[in-house]
Amino acid sequence: MTTLNKVTLIGYLGRGPEMRATAAGDPVTQLVIATTETWKDKNTGEKKESTEWHRVILYRKLAEIAGQYLKKGSLVYIEGRLQTRKWTGKDDVERYTVEIIADDMRMLGGKPSHGDAEGDARKPDEAGSTKTTHSHRSDRVEFDLEDDMIPF
């Protein structure tokens, strides 16, 4: 029987990307992504909410793109696999961390910033432009841009 280790997330970055490099000099970026589930309590009728935080690791070109374009509050789609990493803390106690090693990332848009009176700058406007989506899979980069969004 074949097994499958696959994770798909859509969530918001809880903080800005943390960029580093491997010993060989390859870029590595760590993201912390929040996903929230909401439901209505059957007994009280009250709206309930639960947020999970996920540690996501990106390598090479994908790491560079994430470090350059993502920021706290960015909405992203992540596809990857789970990996458990064992490490020893300063107190010499062995610990385990579960991470998602991403092989695909798509920037879906962003959360409106508090200082932006219009909300998300990627919303459709009177001219009919639509949101920008960036995607990356392996070493291929795809951009879907409306003509009025290209600066030249």
Side-chain angles (χ1 to χ4, degrees), residues 2 5 19 37 39 44 55 57 64 87 95 102 105 108-110 115 121 124-125 133 135-136 141:
T2 303
N5 180 358
M19 294 187 68
E37 176 185 9
W39 69 95
T44 65
R55 184 184 308 249
I57 308 298
E64 290 175 2
W87 54 283
R95 302 180 195 281
M105 175 195 65
L108 301 177
D125 62 11
T133 59
S135 68
H136 180 273
V141 179

mmCIF file of all heavy atoms in Angstrom, residues 2 5 19 37 39 44 55 57 64 87 95 102 105 108-110 115 121 124-125 133 135-136 141:
data_model
loop_
_atom_site.group_PDB
_atom_site.id
_atom_site.type_symbol
_atom_site.label_atom_id
_atom_site.label_comp_id
_atom_site.label_asym_id
_atom_site.label_seq_id
_atom_site.Cartn_x
_atom_site.Cartn_y
_atom_site.Cartn_z
ATOM 1 N N THR A 2 0.586 2.175 -0.864
ATOM 2 C CA THR A 2 1.312 3.437 -0.948
ATOM 3 C C THR A 2 0.819 4.389 0.126
ATOM 4 O O THR A 2 -0.354 4.382 0.488
ATOM 5 C CB THR A 2 1.082 4.074 -2.336
ATOM 6 O OG1 THR A 2 1.485 3.142 -3.331
ATOM 7 C CG2 THR A 2 1.853 5.346 -2.489
ATOM 8 N N ASN A 5 1.942 11.827 2.165
ATOM 9 C CA ASN A 5 2.253 12.871 3.127
ATOM 10 C C ASN A 5 2.065 14.192 2.392
ATOM 11 O O ASN A 5 2.969 14.677 1.726
ATOM 12 C CB ASN A 5 3.689 12.716 3.629
ATOM 13 C CG ASN A 5 4.073 13.784 4.627
ATOM 14 O OD1 ASN A 5 3.303 14.680 4.947
ATOM 15 N ND2 ASN A 5 5.294 13.690 5.124
ATOM 16 N N MET A 19 14.171 34.997 6.782
ATOM 17 C CA MET A 19 15.064 34.453 5.760
ATOM 18 C C MET A 19 16.413 34.099 6.358
ATOM 19 O O MET A 19 16.936 34.835 7.194
ATOM 20 C CB MET A 19 15.243 35.456 4.627
ATOM 21 C CG MET A 19 13.965 35.709 3.855
ATOM 22 S SD MET A 19 14.238 36.734 2.419
ATOM 23 C CE MET A 19 15.213 35.628 1.409
ATOM 24 N N GLU A 37 -10.805 28.165 11.991
ATOM 25 C CA GLU A 37 -12.045 27.425 11.763
ATOM 26 C C GLU A 37 -13.130 28.081 12.609
ATOM 27 O O GLU A 37 -12.907 28.402 13.775
ATOM 28 C CB GLU A 37 -11.850 25.968 12.197
ATOM 29 C CG GLU A 37 -13.076 25.124 12.094
ATOM 30 C CD GLU A 37 -12.869 23.714 12.643
ATOM 31 O OE1 GLU A 37 -11.833 23.442 13.258
ATOM 32 O OE2 GLU A 37 -13.772 22.897 12.448
ATOM 33 N N TRP A 39 -17.401 27.905 13.738
ATOM 34 C CA TRP A 39 -18.596 27.085 13.769
ATOM 35 C C TRP A 39 -19.569 27.669 14.787
ATOM 36 O O TRP A 39 -19.203 28.522 15.595
ATOM 37 C CB TRP A 39 -18.268 25.632 14.105
ATOM 38 C CG TRP A 39 -17.808 25.415 15.513
ATOM 39 C CD1 TRP A 39 -18.577 25.048 16.583
ATOM 40 C CD2 TRP A 39 -16.473 25.565 16.014
ATOM 41 N NE1 TRP A 39 -17.798 24.958 17.719
ATOM 42 C CE2 TRP A 39 -16.504 25.266 17.397
ATOM 43 C CE3 TRP A 39 -15.250 25.919 15.452
ATOM 44 C CZ2 TRP A 39 -15.371 25.327 18.205
ATOM 45 C CZ3 TRP A 39 -14.126 25.968 16.250
ATOM 46 C CH2 TRP A 39 -14.196 25.672 17.609
ATOM 47 N N THR A 44 -25.552 26.438 22.529
ATOM 48 C CA THR A 44 -25.761 27.846 22.874
ATOM 49 C C THR A 44 -26.077 28.722 21.669
ATOM 50 O O THR A 44 -26.548 29.847 21.842
ATOM 51 C CB THR A 44 -24.506 28.419 23.560
ATOM 52 O OG1 THR A 44 -23.425 28.415 22.623
ATOM 53 C CG2 THR A 44 -24.127 27.625 24.798
ATOM 54 N N ARG A 55 4.030 26.110 11.100
ATOM 55 C CA ARG A 55 5.382 26.519 10.709
ATOM 56 C C ARG A 55 5.654 25.937 9.323
ATOM 57 O O ARG A 55 5.569 24.732 9.122
ATOM 58 C CB ARG A 55 6.399 25.990 11.715
ATOM 59 C CG ARG A 55 7.818 26.442 11.454
ATOM 60 C CD ARG A 55 8.764 25.781 12.432
ATOM 61 N NE ARG A 55 8.325 25.968 13.798
ATOM 62 C CZ ARG A 55 8.959 26.726 14.685
ATOM 63 N NH1 ARG A 55 10.050 27.354 14.349
ATOM 64 N NH2 ARG A 55 8.509 26.830 15.903
ATOM 65 N N ILE A 57 8.338 25.853 5.947
ATOM 66 C CA ILE A 57 9.712 26.080 5.497
ATOM 67 C C ILE A 57 9.738 26.029 3.974
ATOM 68 O O ILE A 57 9.190 25.106 3.372
ATOM 69 C CB ILE A 57 10.671 25.002 6.067
ATOM 70 C CG1 ILE A 57 10.522 24.877 7.583
ATOM 71 C CG2 ILE A 57 12.106 25.301 5.661
ATOM 72 C CD1 ILE A 57 10.869 26.118 8.376
ATOM 73 N N GLU A 64 13.204 32.670 -1.812
ATOM 74 C CA GLU A 64 13.520 34.033 -2.251
ATOM 75 C C GLU A 64 12.248 34.818 -2.562
ATOM 76 O O GLU A 64 12.103 35.971 -2.156
ATOM 77 C CB GLU A 64 14.409 34.005 -3.496
ATOM 78 C CG GLU A 64 15.811 33.520 -3.241
ATOM 79 C CD GLU A 64 16.631 33.393 -4.526
ATOM 80 O OE1 GLU A 64 16.107 33.715 -5.615
ATOM 81 O OE2 GLU A 64 17.786 32.976 -4.424
ATOM 82 N N TRP A 87 15.418 18.219 17.947
ATOM 83 C CA TRP A 87 16.496 19.123 18.313
ATOM 84 C C TRP A 87 16.644 19.143 19.832
ATOM 85 O O TRP A 87 15.762 18.718 20.558
ATOM 86 C CB TRP A 87 16.261 20.525 17.756
ATOM 87 C CG TRP A 87 14.930 21.134 18.116
ATOM 88 C CD1 TRP A 87 13.718 20.838 17.563
ATOM 89 C CD2 TRP A 87 14.683 22.096 19.127
ATOM 90 N NE1 TRP A 87 12.729 21.584 18.159
ATOM 91 C CE2 TRP A 87 13.288 22.373 19.115
ATOM 92 C CE3 TRP A 87 15.481 22.779 20.031
ATOM 93 C CZ2 TRP A 87 12.706 23.282 19.978
ATOM 94 C CZ3 TRP A 87 14.893 23.699 20.880
ATOM 95 C CH2 TRP A 87 13.525 23.937 20.853
ATOM 96 N N ARG A 95 13.667 17.916 21.966
ATOM 97 C CA ARG A 95 12.352 18.415 21.593
ATOM 98 C C ARG A 95 12.071 18.061 20.136
ATOM 99 O O ARG A 95 12.984 17.755 19.378
ATOM 100 C CB ARG A 95 12.286 19.925 21.771
ATOM 101 C CG ARG A 95 12.600 20.371 23.197
ATOM 102 C CD ARG A 95 12.533 21.880 23.318
ATOM 103 N NE ARG A 95 13.140 22.367 24.513
ATOM 104 C CZ ARG A 95 12.592 22.361 25.720
ATOM 105 N NH1 ARG A 95 11.396 21.860 25.884
ATOM 106 N NH2 ARG A 95 13.228 22.845 26.761
ATOM 107 N N ALA A 102 7.316 23.197 2.131
ATOM 108 C CA ALA A 102 6.469 23.610 1.008
ATOM 109 C C ALA A 102 7.116 23.291 -0.333
ATOM 110 O O ALA A 102 8.309 23.489 -0.517
ATOM 111 C CB ALA A 102 6.185 25.104 1.096
ATOM 112 N N MET A 105 3.670 27.471 -3.494
ATOM 113 C CA MET A 105 3.143 28.616 -2.760
ATOM 114 C C MET A 105 2.470 29.539 -3.758
ATOM 115 O O MET A 105 3.010 29.789 -4.831
ATOM 116 C CB MET A 105 4.260 29.377 -2.054
ATOM 117 C CG MET A 105 3.748 30.646 -1.391
ATOM 118 S SD MET A 105 5.027 31.799 -0.917
ATOM 119 C CE MET A 105 5.694 32.263 -2.483
ATOM 120 N N LEU A 108 -2.187 34.869 -2.576
ATOM 121 C CA LEU A 108 -3.581 35.071 -2.935
ATOM 122 C C LEU A 108 -4.046 36.510 -2.763
ATOM 123 O O LEU A 108 -5.082 36.884 -3.253
ATOM 124 C CB LEU A 108 -4.470 34.150 -2.095
ATOM 125 C CG LEU A 108 -4.179 32.666 -2.245
ATOM 126 C CD1 LEU A 108 -5.062 31.866 -1.308
ATOM 127 C CD2 LEU A 108 -4.380 32.228 -3.681
ATOM 128 N N GLY A 109 -3.339 37.300 -2.045
ATOM 129 C CA GLY A 109 -3.754 38.670 -1.763
ATOM 130 C C GLY A 109 -3.284 39.027 -0.381
ATOM 131 O O GLY A 109 -2.440 38.354 0.187
ATOM 132 N N GLY A 110 -3.837 40.049 0.180
ATOM 133 C CA GLY A 110 -3.405 40.463 1.506
ATOM 134 C C GLY A 110 -4.563 40.917 2.348
ATOM 135 O O GLY A 110 -5.625 41.265 1.847
ATOM 136 N N GLY A 115 -3.774 51.180 8.211
ATOM 137 C CA GLY A 115 -3.579 52.551 7.761
ATOM 138 C C GLY A 115 -4.157 52.817 6.384
ATOM 139 O O GLY A 115 -4.153 53.944 5.914
ATOM 140 N N ALA A 121 -5.521 47.024 -1.355
ATOM 141 C CA ALA A 121 -5.235 47.716 -2.608
ATOM 142 C C ALA A 121 -5.470 46.820 -3.812
ATOM 143 O O ALA A 121 -5.448 47.294 -4.932
ATOM 144 C CB ALA A 121 -3.789 48.211 -2.600
ATOM 145 N N PRO A 124 -11.032 45.048 -6.763
ATOM 146 C CA PRO A 124 -11.392 45.655 -8.043
ATOM 147 C C PRO A 124 -11.736 47.122 -7.849
ATOM 148 O O PRO A 124 -12.315 47.502 -6.845
ATOM 149 C CB PRO A 124 -12.629 44.861 -8.484
ATOM 150 C CG PRO A 124 -12.572 43.588 -7.727
ATOM 151 C CD PRO A 124 -11.865 43.906 -6.439
ATOM 152 N N ASP A 125 -11.368 47.968 -8.804
ATOM 153 C CA ASP A 125 -11.683 49.387 -8.712
ATOM 154 C C ASP A 125 -12.637 49.780 -9.835
ATOM 155 O O ASP A 125 -13.100 48.942 -10.597
ATOM 156 C CB ASP A 125 -10.409 50.232 -8.733
ATOM 157 C CG ASP A 125 -9.627 50.075 -10.018
ATOM 158 O OD1 ASP A 125 -10.144 49.479 -10.989
ATOM 159 O OD2 ASP A 125 -8.498 50.546 -10.063
ATOM 160 N N THR A 133 -2.484 37.815 -8.623
ATOM 161 C CA THR A 133 -2.096 36.568 -7.993
ATOM 162 C C THR A 133 -0.735 36.172 -8.527
ATOM 163 O O THR A 133 -0.457 36.323 -9.709
ATOM 164 C CB THR A 133 -3.098 35.435 -8.280
ATOM 165 O OG1 THR A 133 -3.176 35.244 -9.684
ATOM 166 C CG2 THR A 133 -4.458 35.737 -7.713
ATOM 167 N N SER A 135 2.115 32.989 -8.429
ATOM 168 C CA SER A 135 2.245 31.598 -8.031
ATOM 169 C C SER A 135 3.633 31.096 -8.387
ATOM 170 O O SER A 135 4.280 31.618 -9.282
ATOM 171 C CB SER A 135 1.187 30.737 -8.708
ATOM 172 O OG SER A 135 1.426 30.659 -10.083
ATOM 173 N N HIS A 136 4.066 30.099 -7.657
ATOM 174 C CA HIS A 136 5.373 29.515 -7.919
ATOM 175 C C HIS A 136 5.290 28.032 -7.642
ATOM 176 O O HIS A 136 4.788 27.608 -6.622
ATOM 177 C CB HIS A 136 6.432 30.158 -7.026
ATOM 178 C CG HIS A 136 7.784 29.562 -7.284
ATOM 179 N ND1 HIS A 136 8.222 28.441 -6.655
ATOM 180 C CD2 HIS A 136 8.758 29.928 -8.134
ATOM 181 C CE1 HIS A 136 9.444 28.147 -7.091
ATOM 182 N NE2 HIS A 136 9.775 29.037 -7.984
ATOM 183 N N VAL A 141 7.824 30.491 -12.459
ATOM 184 C CA VAL A 141 7.065 31.564 -11.837
ATOM 185 C C VAL A 141 5.984 32.004 -12.810
ATOM 186 O O VAL A 141 6.260 32.232 -13.982
ATOM 187 C CB VAL A 141 7.972 32.772 -11.492
ATOM 188 C CG1 VAL A 141 7.155 33.883 -10.876
ATOM 189 C CG2 VAL A 141 9.090 32.343 -10.573
#
